[in-house]
Amino acid sequence: MTILVTGATGNVGRPLVAELLAAGHPVRALTRNPAKADLPAGAEVVAGDLAGGSGLEAAFEGVTAAHLICFGGDDYAPLTNGEQIVSTAVRAGVRRVTVLKGDVDKSPLETAVEAGGLEWTYLAPVEFMSNTLEWAASIREEGTVREGFAEARSAMIHDSDIASVAAVALTGDGHAGQEYWLTGPEALTMPERVRVLSEVLGREIRFVELSRDEMIARWRAEGYGDGDIEFFLTVRTDPPITGDLVLPTVEKVTGRPARTFAQWVREHAAVFN
């Protein structure tokens, strides 16, 4: 069966394409810019925009399972064309989907997926380890990380573990109707993350704590609005559901332990050096 991966060049889509291909599954990868996709050999790369609806008919043709994302565009805004996406998928013969959630609340795409009668599995990561890439410039240039809410813990998950859970759900039975909250194997504070970075990179990295007001000012300077800032504050002061709780979901679904933050840093060490 051909599996469609949307968001194929993203932090989850890229390793998902690779994992499905390695297991011998035909993969069609949807991206807005195929010329720059640089995906593994064997993937059928097609042009299309899940958010705008362009190219959807061709993308879903002959597909029986699909990995969908709830957000799109450069601003990662929630998709509003869920009914169009689902109706196109159903007409093409899609039976099973995984949906990468972008928020705690149910998105329009999720509502459409359930109404469309598809076998669905929701993937709800608490925080991507790849968010750490936001620190890369300050670590390279100053050997320093400046962040607020030093005691807030996050059970960050390796992006490839999200992809592994998606691969299992797309190709195996027993996952329909499940909402999988996904975490890594440890809940770390900001200073603990910095310590792991220091140990793996082999050099001292300082942590400088910013105040709540300093963090809000920084977010505003970066162009975030009140709604985004409220969400950021909630995540750091009152994590949604399992934000700071380690869950065994990855191992239960895939049969192997979730990857550690230290492993993620080793894989991305060049970005920080």
Side-chain angles (χ1 to χ4, degrees):
M1 65 179 183
T2 297
I3 300 174
L4 174 67
V5 177
T6 66
T9 58
N11 291 329
V12 175
R14 189 175 293 279
L16 176 56
V17 168
E19 187 158 340
L20 290 170
L21 286 173
H25 300 285
V27 176
R28 182 175 297 154
L30 184 70
T31 177
R32 287 179 291 172
N33 194 339
K36 295 183 178 180
D38 191 29
L39 288 166
E44 178 192 357
V45 183
V46 297
D49 189 344
L50 197 62
S54 63
L56 290 187
E57 295 283 351
F60 280 109
E61 183 179 357
V63 167
T64 53
H67 173 69
L68 305 176
I69 54 178
C70 285
F71 43 86
D74 295 329
D75 58 357
Y76 298 99
L79 295 174
T80 58
N81 60 329
E83 292 184 1
Q84 178 202 12
I85 294 169
V86 170
S87 63
T88 303
V90 170
R91 286 197 306 272
V94 174
R95 299 189 302 273
R96 177 180 295 174
V97 297
T98 53
V99 182
L100 180 61
K101 292 174 65 70
D103 201 346
V104 175
D105 298 327
K106 186 176 293 185
S107 70
L109 177 58
E110 292 165 74
T111 300
V113 163
E114 293 176 17
L118 294 166
E119 294 181 18
W120 53 265
T121 305
Y122 295 153
L123 311 175
V126 296
E127 183 183 356
F128 289 45
M129 288 183 184
S130 58
N131 288 352
T132 309
L133 294 172
E134 296 173 358
W135 296 349
S138 65
I139 289 175
R140 286 195 308 268
E141 297 164 9
E142 307 173 61
T144 300
V145 170
R146 294 179 175 84
E147 282 287 349
F149 310 98
E151 297 309 310
R153 292 185 177 275
S154 175
M156 301 179 298
I157 182 167
H158 196 299
D159 307 54
S160 294
D161 280 334
I162 305 170
S164 293
V165 172
V168 171
L170 287 167
T171 61
D173 296 326
H175 306 283
Q178 297 294 317
E179 182 176 68
Y180 288 137
W181 282 88
L182 305 174
T183 78
E186 54 200 344
L188 301 175
T189 64
M190 296 286 186
E192 287 169 344
R193 296 189 213 181
V194 173
R195 185 169 66 248
V196 172
L197 282 158
S198 296
E199 292 171 353
V200 174
L201 298 176
R203 59 192 175 92
E204 182 182 358
I205 300 171
R206 295 188 309 123
F207 176 77
V208 177
E209 184 173 7
L210 302 181
S211 69
R212 178 189 179 102
D213 289 344
E214 286 173 324
M215 287 300 302
I216 291 174
R218 184 165 85 178
W219 290 327
R220 291 198 187 284
E222 292 171 350
Y224 292 106
D226 291 342
D228 291 323
I229 291 173
E230 182 179 351
F231 173 74
F232 296 156
L233 290 172
T234 299
V235 168
R236 286 159 177 77
T237 60
D238 185 21
I241 305 180
T242 60
D244 57 354
L245 178 66
V246 173
L247 298 172
T249 315
V250 170
E251 186 166 8
K252 283 186 175 180
V253 174
T254 68
R256 58 161 185 74
R259 298 169 173 92
T260 65
F261 182 54
Q263 180 174 346
W264 183 91
V265 176
R266 284 193 294 271
E267 294 169 1
H268 296 83
V271 180
F272 299 97
N273 290 322

